[in-house]
Amino acid sequence: MLGPASVPALLPVYAQLPLTPVSGRGSLLFDAEGQAWLDAYGGHAVAATGHCHPTVVRAICEQAATLLFYSTALPHPVREALAHELVARCPAPLSSAFFCNSGAEANENALHLARKQTGRSLIVALHGSFHGRTAATQAVTSGEKYAATARRAGLPLGRMVPFDDVAALDAAIDDSIAAVLIEPVQGMAGARACSPEFLAAARRLCDQRGALLIFDEVQCGVGRSGHFTAAESYGVTPDFITMAKGLASGLPIGAMVTTSAIAATVHTGDLGSTFGGGPVPCAAARATLQVIDDERLLENVRSVSAQLREGALALGPQAVRAVQGRGLLLGLKLTRPAADVQKALFARRILTGTSADPSVLRLLPPLSFTAEQASQLLSALAEVLP
Ligand code: PLP
């Protein structure tokens, strides 16, 4: 039965741009008129290998035609292979993976294991952080809106400390703290990169106080920093890394990777998911890793990032005050409201992102964004910025 005409069938929870894409290829989307749009937003950093990469699409189709799904009640070679391939790309002693369906779920599972391992309950997180929309991840996300949801659910809130502040972190970690949860490069805050000193201090303080360190790499991981893990780009190894978004180039997957020491304490039934580690998303994730290697996308991230950074700064301080972030998670700190610039770029058929900071325009294109596409974006920025 249809509801009353005034009630939307789809809950109107998303702010959306007025574009309906019908297809995609690489960093381009195409609308119903066949017009190309340059995607410097990557569908929220998800289109790691670009839209509809043929290797990823083929892997999905082949796996779907062979065995669409069976749950984790049975082993599956694709899930096993992905786990091996994923942990091989993470710094030691990170050695074991658990698969779920989203970034928030990956974080929930890391929080769950950290609490179980330490016998403590509280979590330290940073101002500006975003860790997901489940109640437990909202409890450790920055912002009153999220804290209110967690409070309504009766959950203890995270102990929030100012961004990149070693002294505040030192003061916050005591023997009630199970884990410190950090995005090495904060996405929603506008591509704010923690300093290497801060992350090194977080590692040291966690070790001293018996807390565990979790890196939420849901947005900044899977090659986006220019290394496969942001942890590697900083030379700091946490006890857990969570990933999602780009891992399967568009199919839902989340991964939590942990150390051999913690893995040794995990037993049957400690974690679980019906769909997590399903054969089709795992096949898409294996293909994504293969494309990242075969097309040398980490090198591409580093060179296109440098081009965007230099090109944006060359527009002058009257237009771009600073460029923050790492790799292809960049925030252009503008002198004009980022929403206005996003709109002006949209009128030129270029998609970009905004952030919690109204002055920061966020760039999160596919890892395969080309030098020519970066030039096109920079030329458009030169036109729309003062
Ligand atoms: N963590 C970070 C850093 C994110 O950016 C996001 C989503 O934007 C999440 C967690 C939540 O991921 P998901 O929406 O897949 O649950």
Side-chain angles (χ1 to χ4, degrees), residues 137-220:
T137 52
Q138 290 194 58
V140 291
T141 283
S142 180
E144 180 46 35
K145 179 172 90 176
Y146 304 113
T149 307
R151 250 187 250 111
R152 281 193 290 272
L155 294 174
L157 298 185
R159 191 174 284 174
M160 307 307 287
V161 301
F163 177 74
D164 218 37
D165 184 332
V166 174
L169 186 67
D170 189 353
I173 307 175
D174 58 26
D175 62 9
S176 66
I177 298 301
V180 176
L181 173 61
I182 300 175
E183 292 165 80
V185 185
Q186 289 188 333
M188 295 284 266
R192 275 203 305 187
C194 291
S195 65
E197 298 72 33
F198 179 77
L199 293 185
R203 176 71 279 176
R204 191 183 65 251
L205 291 166
C206 283
D207 289 344
Q208 284 169 1
R209 318 258 164 96
L212 296 170
L213 182 60
I214 306 171
F215 280 179
D216 175 345
E217 297 203 11
V218 167
Q219 191 163 145
C220 65

Side-chain angles (χ1 to χ4, degrees), residues 40-353:
Y41 189 63
H44 268 332
V46 168
T49 55
H51 297 287
C52 304
H53 192 291
T55 303
V56 177
V57 171
R58 199 178 319 115
I60 292 169
C61 293
E62 283 175 7
Q63 183 56 55
T66 310
L67 180 63
L68 186 64
F69 182 72
Y70 205 88
S71 77
T72 41
L74 300 179
H76 196 284
V78 179
R79 188 184 306 128
E80 302 280 333
L82 175 62
H84 281 287
E85 289 160 6
L86 189 61
V87 300
R89 287 164 172 78
C90 294
L94 294 163
S95 64
S96 301
F98 172 75
F99 295 118
C100 50
N101 310 286
S102 69
E105 256 188 84
N107 285 334
E108 284 253 4
N109 282 294
L111 294 171
H112 173 53
L113 280 192
R115 288 178 168 123
K116 179 170 173 280
Q117 176 82 13
T118 59
R120 304 170 177 182
S121 62
L122 290 182
I123 306 297
V124 168
L126 301 191
H127 290 171
S129 64
F130 182 83
H131 297 298
R133 291 282 194 156
T134 60
T137 52
Q138 290 194 58
V140 291
T141 283
S142 180
E144 180 46 35
K145 179 172 90 176
Y146 304 113
T149 307
R151 250 187 250 111
R152 281 193 290 272
L155 294 174
L157 298 185
R159 191 174 284 174
M160 307 307 287
V161 301
F163 177 74
D164 218 37
D165 184 332
V166 174
L169 186 67
D170 189 353
I173 307 175
D174 58 26
D175 62 9
S176 66
I177 298 301
V180 176
L181 173 61
I182 300 175
E183 292 165 80
V185 185
Q186 289 188 333
M188 295 284 266
R192 275 203 305 187
C194 291
S195 65
E197 298 72 33
F198 179 77
L199 293 185
R203 176 71 279 176
R204 191 183 65 251
L205 291 166
C206 283
D207 289 344
Q208 284 169 1
R209 318 258 164 96
L212 296 170
L213 182 60
I214 306 171
F215 280 179
D216 175 345
E217 297 203 11
V218 167
Q219 191 163 145
C220 65
V222 193
R224 193 157 285 282
S225 71
H227 290 79
F228 185 74
T229 60
E232 186 191 345
S233 81
Y234 278 95
V236 176
T237 306
D239 300 290
F240 300 91
I241 295 181
T242 58
M243 304 175 209
K245 292 203 188 286
L247 183 54
S249 293
L251 289 201
I253 191 168
M256 182 206 66
V257 177
T258 192
T259 61
S260 41
I262 293 170
T265 70
V266 176
H267 304 293
T268 302
D270 282 351
L271 307 173
S273 167
T274 297
F275 287 114
V280 177
C282 286
R286 291 191 72 200
T288 298
L289 300 182
Q290 188 194 325
V291 170
I292 290 174
D293 287 352
D294 292 352
E295 299 185 6
R296 306 167 87 83
L297 292 186
L298 300 182
E299 284 166 36
N300 188 63
V301 168
R302 294 196 283 263
S303 72
V304 173
S305 174
Q307 181 190 351
L308 285 170
R309 190 179 285 274
E310 283 158 28
L313 289 173
L315 297 173
Q318 75 289 351
V320 179
R321 275 203 230 109
V323 179
Q324 54 196 33
R326 281 195 170 204
L328 287 180
L329 176 51
L330 291 176
L332 311 190
K333 214 163 170 59
L334 306 175
T335 50
R336 284 176 54 192
D340 294 352
V341 176
Q342 182 195 39
K343 211 181 285 172
L345 291 170
F346 187 80
R348 287 164 171 75
R349 296 208 300 273
I350 297 177
L351 295 179
T352 54

Side-chain angles (χ1 to χ4, degrees), residues 17-43 51 342-352 365-366 369 373 376-377:
L17 293 166
L19 164 67
T20 306
V22 294
S23 63
R25 202 61 160 184
S27 296
L28 297 178
L29 291 169
F30 298 91
D31 62 23
E33 281 77 49
Q35 298 195 102
W37 293 70
L38 182 63
D39 187 5
Y41 189 63
H51 297 287
Q342 182 195 39
K343 211 181 285 172
L345 291 170
F346 187 80
R348 287 164 171 75
R349 296 208 300 273
I350 297 177
L351 295 179
T352 54
F369 208 61
Q373 289 166 336
Q376 187 188 338
L377 172 58

